Amino acid sequence: MVQAPTTNPPPWLLKANTRDTGNTNLDATEVAILDFLYPIRTLAVIRDYVRKNTTALRRHRRSQLLHQRSRSYTSAADNPIDEGTDQAEAADNTLAGDALAVERAATEASHLTKAELTTKLHKLLFTDQQPSVHQIWQYYVKLREGSVLLGPDDLAQLFKRLSQSRATFGLEKTTELFGTIEVSERRAIHYACTVAAALGRDDLKSAVKLHAEAATRVGEGSFGTSLVFNYAIKRANWEAVLAVWRQFGDYRRMYLAESSLWAEFDRSPLPDLLEHARKAVEFAINSIEGSTFDEAEPARKLAFAIVQRALSVHNADFDSFVQADLVEKAQSIQQPGVDLFRAAILQNFSLGVQNSEYSHWGLDLYRTARMKSGFSPDRELLDTLLRRCYDLRRSEEMYYILEDYRKHYTEVPRHAYLPLLSQLAQHGDFDLVDQLCREYIGRFGAQDISVLASQLLHACYRRADVDGAISVIESLQRTYDYIPDMRAWNTVFATYSRIDDCEGATRLLDRLVATNVKPDNKSYGILMGMFAKRSDLAATNELYEQAISEGVNPSFDMVGSVILALATNDRLDEAERLAEDALDMDLEAPARRMPSLTGDHSRTRMWNVLLGQHAMKGQLDKVFKLQNRMREAGIAFDGATYAALMQSLCIKKLPAAAQKILKVVMPKVGIRPTALHYAIVMGGFLHSNDYRKIFSLQQRMDREGIKPTFSTRNMLLRAESYMDEKEYYQGKSDSPTFEASRAQKVLTEILDNLDPMELASLGPTKFAQSNPPDVALQTSYFPYMINLYGKRKLFDKVAEMYDMYISTRQKTGGDSNADPPVELLSALMTSYTKAGEHHEAEKCWQLALEKAQHFACKANADISQAGWVLHKYRFLLALPLTKHIHVLAATSRVDEIEPLIESLQQAGFQLSTHNWNKYVQVLVENDRALLAYQICEGKLMEGWPGWQRFGSYLNKKRRIKRQWVPRSWEMARPFPHYETLVFLASAYLTVQGRAYGAGRELLGEIERAAPKTMEAVFNLPTYDDKIQQKLLKRE
């Protein structure tokens, strides 16, 4: 066992022992010792060497009280001195050192005459250096003993020297000196220095008492009001704060400027000020509870004054959550009014548009303030709010500002019309924009008709209302002789782009050219973008050549459209080369309302196209490489850049990494996440079967004030349906049949709140498929729900969903007689095939073919010729084709499948993994084994990963009891499903069991025609599942 030392104790014990306090007794109960860290008898050694009441030990004990939950392994002597002191003070603060200094100063003073003492003391008091307070004090004592009085200036300077000393000796002597002065002779400077000395000794009670005495009898000068006031605030001693506040109000306000009270407070950092204000409000609330109004009134006024003072500080960073909490609590101590909210709003706005988060918080506060009674904003505040809404594109708040202008000031000022119209048009509120335009013309005339027309057209663009845009131009031409310029026509082109109406846009272009109106590069950029989005490379190149031939300078949008057309045709290498070449091209950049501080945004869009294509293929390394190239070229990142990275991470099943970009990276770089970013991350968690994270993200969107779109609502709908399935299969559902009650409830809420105005805020989306935004908004929810019920043979629910689809189209202004989109037709085919209504399913197939001819056809192509299908839509019929193959097989028309497939492929359609697998299974069921093996060998085995890889993947799917569903990249690289290989194995057994000669010959043909397929079938693992029991007759 290790023995405790008897000599040479630890250095920290010796250091503590050098501080002689005149008491050598140590009570072990008064000192906290970590004796478990030391050997036996350590406590006894400490008792021998540590003095009981040393200054360092007292400090150590105070520190431990403040940090009771922290483990301190340092000794008492090594612990730092209290806040506000330094090492020099520590060395000068021991009583032994003080005694030695006093003795030395007294000896020196005893050898001097009164005149010499007076001269030397005056010199020490007014020197620029830091004199010894011990020497100053002894000189003064000797003079006082000799009945020599100091003059007023020397006495005031003596107070300053003593009180400014950070040593305990000087602070104590300040108080002693103050006590020697007659009450009638005490001046403001005496009180001020003594108050400072008391605070230096952490004696707030004495400081407040001195301040109260000074407040009642000193007629002029400062006596430490701000100092004791701020000190009490920092120590959260609100009784003392209130006492000083009341003394200031009762005695000093008439001859002391109020700013002097806040001098020390205002020098604190803004986060500290807000925290002090919050505590003051809590003190006031506690004072109000259980007190009369008169008793609580001073505390309430004090707290509100501190709140207003804290909110008046501008141009400093702070925590908006703390500020919001402060404003919320402050409302309980005073009737909410414009002053409180106005100060909070302007404090957020003071950091400028670049700090957009603060500006958004300020606008949120405005929305809260409007709900409070008595809120009456002044014109200056409304103008400020108007400018900030305009800068941040906050359209919704414009409605409130417009209402407040009219409510409080009768009419809208002229300078407010343009920003109001701009943002209301951005929001797509055509009726209100039209009303404001008429009001403006009635008040100020039609001289600004071009500006007003541009806002009306922009509202039509946001609503995707082409007919409305054309009607606006024609109406203004008739009424005001309005002549539309190219900016107006470009807005009409952009409106056609919103609904993907390439034919209508092309007719308008031809009409303008025929009337000698020359389209500009903006016009061609929009049209090229429309065709490029459809992957119509030929039409895109044709428009580019036409623009160049007409002398139009190429723009970034035009070149970007060519890049998009190449990328959507899977010619990514060519697209990347063109993007690199564009770095050196002299292209016309789109106009920006304000210069970019983050880099070149003109090329961002074309590079985002490349990122997006690689992201959808799951090529994460390629996405990183392209983003690094963008940094090298000085191309700025925007929301779409991060969306591409997030998409690639989600496809790689790394949704947590994508969520980190959403929550951390994007706010850090100043890019506000949109609903699209949330939809991407939700999709990643959906793909990873982590459905609860989707609900968490939805809640975060609500907190951040981000409006849901049909993309995020579709994610939520799917997550709820999967939860329904989980509860049903686990026996937790209340109904014996699958009801999808959670999903049904979400769908009902979605449809009840469906607003056509959502089109105005609709950017890039998921789940739009091949449909224009207006159609996608109306129909995107129903294919999933109909398929969900149809595959479970809940046909009443299917009929209910279809009726809801019809009523939704009518409610949102759509054509209820229009044919459903392909996705909905495919879902209906699922239901019809399950119900055995093959005739109805075939009608849906014919409608799907007609839809495909409209959506998938190249510009000016003849559908009677080969190759008319656009590359982007090559899989458009993949979903309904699987159902149609089933219908043909069920109606004994298997011979029609092969020519159907040939005709589709000749047009340019491609079959997906599901299509080929379904075809092979149908061939096996109809005793066409050789053709089944040939199809599998030629169409599916190229992507076969082998049982070593596919088997482990299949086992995982079997464990979680989920049907395998191919992803988009698997459509382009088909491989055989497990079920298909079991079908082929059953076909092999059937052929093998036939007559010896015929069966052997057919087997030989199969082995020669499909060697890879035969190998996969021979190595088929044995599973005790229903499909092998049924097809392979395994018990």
Side-chain angles (χ1 to χ4, degrees):
M1 183 178 294
V2 179
Q3 297 296 323
T6 56
T7 60
N8 299 325
W12 66 269
L13 293 177
L14 292 176
K15 187 182 295 186
N17 191 38
T18 61
R19 301 189 177 189
D20 188 7
T21 60
N23 192 337
T24 59
N25 297 323
L26 178 65
D27 184 357
T29 63
E30 293 185 20
V31 183
I33 300 298
L34 301 178
D35 52 328
F36 62 91
L37 295 177
Y38 296 93
I40 301 173
R41 298 190 71 253
T42 299
L43 187 58
V45 175
I46 293 174
R47 287 197 181 100
D48 292 337
Y49 286 94
V50 177
R51 304 287 180 162
K52 179 178 180 181
N53 292 319
T54 63
T55 304
L57 193 57
R58 288 199 304 271
R59 293 196 192 97
H60 179 67
R61 292 172 65 186
R62 286 200 302 269
S63 176
Q64 292 303 305
L65 289 174
L66 292 173
H67 305 282
Q68 290 180 1
R69 300 191 180 190
S70 64
R71 298 185 62 185
S72 176
Y73 293 91
T74 60
S75 65
D78 287 337
N79 195 281
I81 302 171
D82 278 346
E83 182 181 359
T85 63
D86 52 21
Q87 294 181 356
E89 178 191 348
D92 192 45
N93 205 28
T94 62
L95 293 179
D98 289 345
L100 182 61
V102 169
E103 182 179 354
R104 190 164 49 243
T107 302
E108 181 182 354
S110 64
H111 293 87
L112 298 175
T113 65
K114 293 181 180 180
E116 290 174 335
L117 283 171
T118 302
T119 302
K120 284 201 169 190
L121 178 59
H122 182 83
K123 183 177 180 181
L124 289 173
L125 290 176
F126 291 94
T127 182
D128 293 334
Q129 300 178 355
Q130 184 66 32
S132 170
V133 292
H134 303 91
Q135 190 177 21
I136 290 176
W137 179 252
Q138 287 304 318
Y139 286 178
Y140 167 73
V141 170
K142 286 296 182 181
L143 288 174
R144 189 178 62 186
E145 290 175 354
S147 300
V148 177
L149 300 178
L150 296 181
D153 293 341
D154 286 353
L155 183 60
Q157 190 65 16
L158 176 60
F159 266 103
K160 291 180 181 179
R161 287 296 187 186
L162 292 174
S163 63
Q164 289 172 358
S165 171
R166 302 182 69 183
T168 304
F169 178 85
L171 301 178
E172 291 176 347
K173 295 309 177 183
T174 304
T175 305
E176 182 179 333
L177 176 61
F178 183 79
T180 63
I181 302 176
E182 294 291 338
V183 175
S184 60
E185 299 296 327
R186 293 171 181 173
R187 300 291 180 261
I189 185 62
H190 306 153
Y191 283 103
C193 292
T194 310
V195 166
L199 295 178
R201 291 184 287 108
D202 201 19
D203 189 358
L204 179 59
K205 182 177 180 181
S206 297
V208 174
K209 184 178 179 181
L210 286 166
H211 181 270
E213 179 184 320
T216 58
R217 53 174 316 280
V218 176
E220 60 183 9
S222 174
F223 43 80
T225 301
S226 176
L227 190 63
V228 68
F229 183 71
N230 192 58
Y231 185 93
I233 289 177
K234 288 184 176 180
R235 295 298 187 273
N237 190 329
W238 296 106
E239 289 79 8
V241 175
L242 182 58
V244 176
W245 167 262
R246 299 186 72 168
Q247 293 160 14
F248 172 78
D250 292 342
Y251 302 106
R252 300 293 297 160
R253 187 157 302 194
M254 65 183 69
Y255 50 86
L256 179 67
E258 185 173 359
S259 60
S260 65
L261 175 70
W262 303 99
E264 293 292 331
F265 182 83
D266 290 344
R267 282 194 282 269
S268 301
L270 180 54
D272 292 346
L273 298 182
L274 293 175
E275 182 63 21
H276 295 330
R278 186 183 64 80
K279 291 180 179 179
V281 171
E282 292 175 352
F283 169 72
I285 293 173
N286 294 332
S287 299
I288 293 172
E289 296 175 357
S291 303
T292 64
F293 179 82
D294 293 337
E295 292 173 345
E297 182 67 6
R300 187 186 63 80
K301 287 185 176 180
L302 165 66
F304 204 77
I306 293 177
V307 170
Q308 288 182 306
R309 201 78 186 184
L311 294 177
S312 66
V313 179
H314 290 175
N315 303 315
D317 290 335
F318 60 92
D319 190 337
S320 294
F321 291 101
V322 174
Q323 188 211 52
D325 182 58
L326 170 62
V327 172
E328 181 67 25
K329 289 181 176 179
Q331 295 175 47
S332 62
I333 62 172
Q334 179 162 318
Q335 183 69 24
V338 68
D339 289 340
L340 175 65
F341 285 101
R342 187 181 195 279
I345 292 169
L346 295 179
Q347 187 175 62
N348 280 283
F349 287 174
S350 68
L351 292 168
V353 182
Q354 288 77 12
N355 295 282
S356 60
E357 287 300 320
Y358 288 103
S359 296
H360 285 294
W361 274 106
L363 293 174
D364 291 341
L365 279 172
Y366 167 64
R367 297 180 67 170
T368 303
R370 294 189 75 257
M371 300 171 64
K372 308 296 180 181
S373 60
F375 179 75
S376 179
D378 55 46
R379 284 182 179 270
E380 182 182 358
L381 178 59
L382 287 175
D383 290 345
T384 303
L385 289 164
L386 183 67
R387 289 192 299 269
R388 195 53 54 96
C389 286
Y390 182 72
D391 291 336
L392 296 175
R393 305 294 195 271
R394 290 280 291 253
S395 303
E396 291 186 30
E397 281 73 14
M398 287 292 189
Y399 290 96
Y400 305 137
I401 295 172
L402 176 62
E403 182 180 335
D404 283 340
Y405 270 128
R406 288 174 169 168
K407 177 180 178 182
H408 301 289
Y409 304 103
T410 307
E411 59 185 19
V412 180
R414 182 169 185 171
H415 68 269
Y417 274 97
L418 180 58
L420 280 169
L421 286 169
S422 177
Q423 290 310 301
L424 294 175
Q426 182 74 8
H427 198 248
D429 194 340
F430 178 82
D431 292 337
L432 187 53
V433 171
D434 184 50
Q435 175 188 337
L436 284 174
C437 287
R438 295 177 186 277
E439 180 181 310
Y440 183 92
I441 293 173
R443 292 178 60 191
F444 309 110
Q447 64 270 22
D448 297 320
I449 190 62
S450 296
V451 176
L452 301 178
S454 66
Q455 302 303 329
L456 288 166
L457 291 173
H458 188 68
C460 294
Y461 160 74
R462 297 301 293 177
R463 294 172 63 90
D465 184 5
V466 173
D467 294 336
I470 298 296
S471 176
V472 164
I473 291 179
E474 293 175 350
S475 174
L476 294 179
Q477 285 176 325
R478 289 192 306 269
T479 308
Y480 303 106
D481 295 328
Y482 167 66
I483 301 176
D485 55 11
M486 273 315 303
R487 181 180 179 183
W489 290 119
N490 286 338
T491 305
V492 180
F493 280 125
T495 310
Y496 276 112
S497 176
R498 294 275 288 173
I499 59 174
D500 296 332
D501 187 356
C502 295
E503 294 179 2
T506 303
R507 287 196 299 270
L508 177 60
L509 177 68
D510 295 339
R511 189 179 110 193
L512 293 179
V513 172
T515 55
N516 296 322
V517 177
K518 184 179 180 181
D520 57 13
N521 52 21
K522 180 70 174 178
S523 312
Y524 282 104
I526 294 172
L527 266 77
M528 291 174 63
M530 294 171 65
F531 285 103
K533 190 165 60 172
R534 290 170 50 82
S535 76
D536 196 336
L537 180 59
T540 304
N541 286 333
E542 183 180 343
L543 282 169
Y544 186 85
E545 293 172 359
Q546 178 180 340
I548 298 300
S549 66
E550 294 180 1
V552 175
N553 295 324
S555 65
F556 283 100
D557 287 340
M558 292 171 63
V559 175
S561 297
V562 177
I563 292 174
L564 175 60
L566 290 169
T568 51
N569 278 275
D570 287 336
R571 295 165 64 173
L572 284 170
D573 290 340
E574 296 178 53
E576 289 179 28
R577 286 196 296 271
L578 180 56
E580 286 286 349
D581 294 340
L583 295 176
D584 300 321
M585 291 182 183
D586 184 17
L587 302 175
E588 186 171 328
R592 295 181 60 85
R593 292 202 311 173
M594 59 182 64
S596 170
L597 302 177
T598 56
D600 179 11
H601 281 269
S602 56
R603 293 177 171 83
T604 301
R605 184 179 176 186
M606 61 177 67
W607 283 82
N608 284 343
V609 168
L610 302 174
L611 289 171
Q613 292 298 314
H614 286 295
M616 293 305 299
K617 295 176 182 294
Q619 297 172 344
L620 185 58
D621 54 341
K622 191 66 177 179
V623 171
F624 283 139
K625 183 179 178 181
L626 285 174
Q627 287 188 335
N628 289 333
R629 181 69 185 100
M630 290 175 67
R631 290 190 185 95
E632 294 173 1
I635 300 173
F637 287 16
D638 62 6
T641 311
Y642 287 102
L645 177 57
M646 293 160 64
Q647 182 70 67
S648 59
L649 288 169
C650 289
I651 289 179
K652 286 293 187 180
K653 291 192 174 182
L654 296 171
Q659 186 180 32
K660 186 174 182 180
I661 294 175
L662 176 78
K663 292 184 176 180
V664 179
V665 177
M666 293 183 66
K668 187 176 180 180
V669 298
I671 297 177
R672 185 176 175 85
T674 65
L676 174 64
H677 298 98
Y678 279 91
I680 290 172
V681 181
M682 287 178 175
F685 285 120
L686 191 72
H687 184 33
S688 302
N689 305 321
D690 196 350
Y691 310 122
R692 297 192 183 279
K693 292 288 182 63
I694 297 175
F695 306 138
S696 175
L697 285 168
Q698 179 64 42
Q699 293 171 358
R700 181 181 176 86
M701 284 182 64
D702 295 339
R703 291 195 304 269
E704 296 291 332
I706 299 175
K707 277 196 167 185
T709 63
F710 71 78
S711 298
T712 58
R713 294 192 191 102
N714 267 289
M715 292 296 181
L716 188 63
L717 182 67
R718 283 157 170 74
E720 293 287 10
S721 73
Y722 284 132
M723 295 300 293
D724 283 326
E725 286 184 301
K726 183 178 179 180
E727 291 178 358
Y728 176 73
Y729 288 120
Q730 291 179 350
K732 298 180 180 179
S733 176
D734 297 333
S735 174
T737 59
F738 180 75
E739 295 290 341
S741 57
R742 294 165 64 114
Q744 184 76 45
K745 180 180 178 181
V746 170
L747 180 63
T748 302
E749 292 177 356
I750 290 172
L751 298 181
D752 288 344
N753 298 304
L754 198 61
D755 184 4
M757 293 289 288
E758 184 180 327
L759 277 175
S761 59
L762 212 55
T765 56
K766 298 172 73 69
F767 298 105
Q769 304 295 340
S770 60
N771 304 303
D774 55 337
V775 177
L777 176 66
Q778 301 159 358
T779 64
S780 63
Y781 310 104
F782 296 102
Y784 178 79
M785 294 299 293
I786 289 176
N787 188 67
L788 183 70
Y789 289 125
K791 66 184 181 182
R792 290 173 173 79
K793 299 183 179 181
L794 300 173
F795 305 121
D796 291 341
K797 287 287 187 180
V798 171
E800 179 184 339
M801 287 294 105
Y802 189 76
D803 291 341
M804 291 175 68
Y805 157 74
I806 297 297
S807 64
T808 300
R809 294 214 67 173
Q810 294 174 341
K811 173 184 174 182
T812 54
D815 184 3
S816 58
N817 296 320
D819 293 333
V822 174
E823 296 77 26
L824 185 57
L825 291 169
S826 176
L828 289 171
M829 289 180 72
T830 299
S831 177
Y832 287 138
T833 53
K834 287 287 185 179
E837 299 180 14
H838 300 133
H839 178 68
E840 295 296 327
E842 194 160 359
K843 287 170 61 177
C844 289
W845 168 253
Q846 294 300 325
L847 289 175
L849 276 177
E850 295 175 8
K851 281 282 185 181
Q853 291 174 1
H854 173 72
F855 282 112
C857 186
K858 297 178 181 178
N860 302 319
D862 185 357
I863 61 174
S864 63
Q865 303 296 320
W868 55 267
V869 175
L870 291 166
H871 183 79
K872 178 180 179 179
Y873 299 111
R874 63 194 186 280
F875 290 111
L876 181 61
L877 293 175
L879 287 175
L881 179 59
T882 301
K883 316 301 188 303
H884 188 55
I885 291 174
H886 176 85
V887 170
L888 292 176
T891 54
S892 303
R893 291 185 291 164
V894 178
D895 293 336
E896 297 181 18
I897 298 177
E898 185 173 0
L900 171 64
I901 292 176
E902 289 179 356
S903 65
L904 292 175
Q905 289 181 323
Q906 185 179 17
F909 290 107
Q910 291 185 21
L911 274 65
S912 69
T913 295
H914 270 304
N915 298 148
W916 289 118
N917 278 274
K918 183 63 177 178
Y919 185 29
V920 171
Q921 294 170 21
V922 166
L923 290 174
V924 171
E925 289 176 328
N926 287 272
D927 196 21
R928 304 190 184 190
L930 178 59
L931 182 57
Y933 272 89
Q934 289 174 337
I935 294 294
C936 184
E937 184 76 13
K939 302 299 183 180
L940 296 174
M941 292 309 294
E942 180 184 357
W944 171 245
W947 282 112
Q948 185 174 2
R949 291 181 59 191
F950 185 70
S952 61
Y953 174 78
L954 180 64
N955 288 334
K956 179 181 177 182
K957 290 296 178 184
R958 291 166 60 84
R959 283 197 302 272
I960 63 176
K961 297 181 180 181
R962 282 286 305 279
Q963 182 182 1
W964 175 76
V965 179
R967 306 299 167 186
S968 58
W969 62 272
E970 293 164 352
M971 290 185 174
R973 190 185 180 191
F975 59 88
H977 294 178
Y978 161 70
E979 293 83 356
T980 301
L981 292 173
V982 176
F983 268 91
L984 291 171
S986 70
Y988 182 86
L989 292 176
T990 302
V991 173
Q992 192 179 47
R994 288 178 181 172
Y996 180 78
R1000 183 174 182 179
E1001 182 179 351
L1002 183 55
L1003 287 177
E1005 290 185 41
I1006 290 175
E1007 290 175 357
R1008 289 190 296 272
K1012 293 181 181 179
T1013 306
M1014 286 293 293
E1015 181 183 0
V1017 170
F1018 273 25
N1019 293 310
L1020 176 71
T1022 301
Y1023 292 116
D1024 187 21
D1025 55 19
K1026 291 183 180 179
I1027 188 170
Q1028 288 201 20
Q1029 291 174 4
K1030 177 182 178 181
L1031 296 180
L1032 304 183
K1033 310 299 182 184
R1034 289 178 177 170
E1035 298 296 335

